[in-house]
Amino acid sequence: MKVAIVGQQDFGKAVLEAFLARKDEVVGVFCAPEKPGARPDALKVAPQEFVKIPKHGTIQYHPSLLPLYRGPSSINWPIIRGDRKTGLTIFRPTDGLDEGPVVLQKETEIGPDDTLGTVYFDRLFPMGVKAMLEAADLVFSNKHKEVVQDESKATYEGWCRKAEAKLNWANHIDFVYNTIRGCNPAPGAWTTLEGKELQIFDARKLPVRTFGAVKGKLGEVVEATEKSFQVTAQGGRIEVLRAKLGDGKKVAAGELLAAGQIKPGALLGG
């Protein structure tokens, strides 16, 4: 089979290597121009030749179950919203963003403690590479079916960036925790501590069961151990295990506590 790869970064490179590993003929590799000073695109630096336009058309990977979550942050939003499943779609791209007919879909569960990192790197990335091969074989052999997306079920969400990743400790603990999970590792959920930005990555959700178990004010660091600290939100506490304060590095919460940078009684987001 002759294929041309249009993509970027590590996923594009992995798809390229998967086709090459099974001796398909890669006749062209295309990726976006790099910005000055940016990390070299992993796909662009891989071996490439340019020949001709694909005879069997084009297929594209998108990490959601289209028509749900069209847009650039389609892995973040299902986690932030507390969805229990997501998946990937291989489709025929049209002029509309993520709007072409579906060739293949695969589902995967979103566990209660999954993060953006675990959903993508552990599942959607490797599943996507295999799905691209499977879909290419179906199209090449003319055994594929193209299913028009149901526009009545379609949703579009824009970027999940810094503004969307800001934590509000007055929100329910479920929403706070889901935002942390859906932004870990990027863009990184964040709050403030004495004017400095505090990004929260690895964390646990600790629901409260009774009124008597409620501690402190919303956003207050109410407990600290050698390895973690707990912050009060509506309905429970967030136990922070890994964080980044100001211009520092991403470290275990215990390091921030040991350095005296975070102490019980501190108020986050105030």
Side-chain angles (χ1 to χ4, degrees):
M1 183 192 312
K2 289 184 177 181
V3 297
I5 308 295
V6 183
Q8 61 184 352
Q9 297 299 345
D10 292 335
F11 181 77
K13 181 173 179 286
V15 171
L16 169 65
E17 291 173 344
F19 277 105
L20 291 175
R22 59 180 217 170
K23 308 303 181 182
D24 288 305
E25 183 180 357
V26 178
V27 297
V29 178
F30 304 84
C31 52
E34 295 173 3
K35 297 179 181 179
R39 180 173 73 91
D41 191 302
L43 175 60
K44 185 175 182 180
V45 299
Q48 57 179 306
E49 294 177 0
F50 300 89
V51 183
K52 56 184 179 180
I53 296 174
K55 182 186 299 184
H56 296 279
T58 302
I59 56 174
Q60 181 175 332
Y61 165 86
H62 184 74
S64 83
L65 294 172
L66 291 175
L68 297 176
Y69 297 107
R70 292 169 173 168
S73 295
S74 56
I75 311 175
N76 305 78
W77 292 119
I79 301 172
I80 293 172
R81 291 187 54 187
D83 290 0
R84 295 185 178 183
K85 73 174 182 178
T86 185
L88 63 90
T89 302
I90 310 299
F91 68 105
R92 292 285 204 185
T94 61
D95 289 340
L97 182 63
D98 304 326
E99 295 178 19
V102 173
V103 174
L104 187 70
Q105 286 190 321
K106 303 286 185 181
E107 292 186 3
T108 185
E109 292 184 358
I110 301 177
D113 297 309
D114 264 323
T115 66
L116 172 71
T118 59
V119 171
Y120 180 62
F121 293 111
D122 294 351
R123 300 200 285 287
L124 291 183
F125 187 116
M127 287 170 58
V129 174
K130 293 179 180 179
M132 287 294 288
L133 297 179
E134 182 180 347
D137 288 340
L138 289 172
V139 170
F140 182 74
S141 60
N142 200 31
K143 295 180 179 178
H144 69 293
K145 295 181 180 179
E146 297 186 15
V147 180
V148 176
Q149 294 187 37
D150 185 347
E151 291 298 317
S152 69
K153 297 179 180 179
T155 64
Y156 171 82
E157 284 80 21
W159 286 100
C160 177
R161 290 174 169 163
K162 184 174 181 178
E164 291 77 19
K166 185 178 181 179
L167 297 175
N168 181 353
W169 298 103
N171 282 334
H172 192 273
I173 186 176
D174 288 346
F175 185 76
V176 174
Y177 184 56
N178 290 345
T179 301
I180 294 171
R181 295 191 302 125
C183 295
N184 181 12
W190 65 280
T191 183
T192 56
L193 173 62
E194 298 178 349
K196 292 184 178 181
E197 185 176 300
L198 176 68
Q199 286 186 297
I200 296 175
F201 297 97
D202 299 344
R204 294 192 188 102
K205 180 176 68 174
L206 305 175
V208 293
R209 307 298 182 189
T210 64
F211 175 74
V214 177
K215 296 183 179 181
K217 303 174 183 178
L218 296 176
E220 182 178 349
V221 178
V222 292
E223 285 191 23
T225 67
E226 293 182 355
K227 296 182 179 180
S228 67
F229 60 91
Q230 297 178 16
V231 186
T232 294
Q234 290 285 10
R237 296 187 292 278
I238 295 294
E239 182 181 15
V240 180
L241 303 172
R242 195 166 190 81
K244 177 181 180 291
L245 180 61
D247 295 328
K249 297 180 179 180
K250 186 190 300 186
V251 297
E255 292 189 36
L256 298 176
L257 293 163
Q261 295 177 291
I262 296 178
K263 300 177 181 178
L267 194 63
L268 306 183

